[in-house]
Amino acid sequence: MKALILVGGFGTRLRPLTLSVPKPLVEFANKPMILHQIEALKAIGVTEVVLAINYQPELMLNFLNEFETKLDIKITISRETEPLGTAGPLALARDKLVDGSGEPFFALNSDVISEYPLKRMIAFHKSHGGEASIMVTKVDEPSKYGVVVMEEKTGQVKEFVEKPKSYVDNKINAGIYLLNPSVLDRIELRPTSIEKEVFPQIAGEKKLFAMVLPGFWMDVGQPKDYISGLSLYLDSLRKRDSFKLATGPHIRGNVLIDESARIGEGCLIGPDVAIGPCCVVESGVRLSRCTLMRNVRIKKHACISSSIIGWHSTVGQWARVENMTILGEDVHVCDEIYSNGGVVLPHKQIKSSILKPEILL
Ligand code: GDD
Ligand code: MG
């Protein structure tokens, strides 16, 4: 079985992290986002994953070389010369996806995190006999997603409205699809949207079916959702593989710490924290609801909450970093600084406090 992951887009909502690496390679819970998906696909027997790329292909190629062998799965690239949206890339990759067997293939947005119940999706797809299956989930704020109106019993989609202006329903497209090859006949090779042009058409012919996704779901393509998504993910990890979570008197709730990270004396860490490889957390530090990317140093008695600290950055002693502060790669926050929601571009030094949420160029 094959799968395509949409890896394009500029990831602008996850800047400044995406100024350093493409969004799918930004680590989520200590693992590049896209790896969560590739592992889930591999686990249910997908043998080839096609990455649909239009941005920074070199970085992606390096990544692939490392993981193709590690994961023992074929990963190929389908490269656009212009962004083709969310449907055009499927037409471009047609020859890679279709092998004449008529077997359906998966298509995924690269920024969605869930327990990926793909086996159940295959069973669902077989049961309804339609042309395409999509997973849906309930959210509080449906207007920023594709909204789906479906018949509860059968799952048949009656309406698909991408980012509606007024309220339609609270079930939304989770960005995980299983498609028959015939769907490709509906897509022209040009910039086009699967949500606006393809799904409404298939729904109109009563051949689009939706399955309510069991378990948690989050699009982690924006800082606030990334931080909430980590909490949901760690909660689900606690149920599945609790041995992967940190334990000890200094840990509160769910915390993931890479084994190469060093944690000093008298820290209090958690809940909902991910600490990446080679990080150094000095003594007396307080961390909650935050992510430290690879090689970050947090100096003594600093306090970090609801924030993301980019690769190779440092936070000085007694500093206080909170309220959706996002530090890009290689940012240095001086001692005793306060950051209230600062979004800091890579390679900066912060010498004075950021008192209200703002972007520091
Ligand atoms: N190859 C390629 N080329 N990929 C693209 C392009 C492109 O031109 N544009 C976007 N993508 C990829 C993104 O990298 C992402 O994986 C996926 O397509 C969806 O794009 P987003 O920019 O993340 O869309 P969204 O989050 O606003 O909305 C989409 O996801 C929601 C669920 O998270 C839609 O599919 C909604 O219907 C859905 O509810
Ligand atoms: Mg998204």
Side-chain angles (χ1 to χ4, degrees), residues 6 8 13 52 54 80 85 109-111 146 162-163 173 195 219:
L6 288 163
R13 291 168 294 184
N54 67 17
E80 298 149 53
N109 287 350
S110 60
D111 54 1
E162 183 66 11
K163 312 217 168 75
N173 168 25
E195 299 86 354
D219 177 330

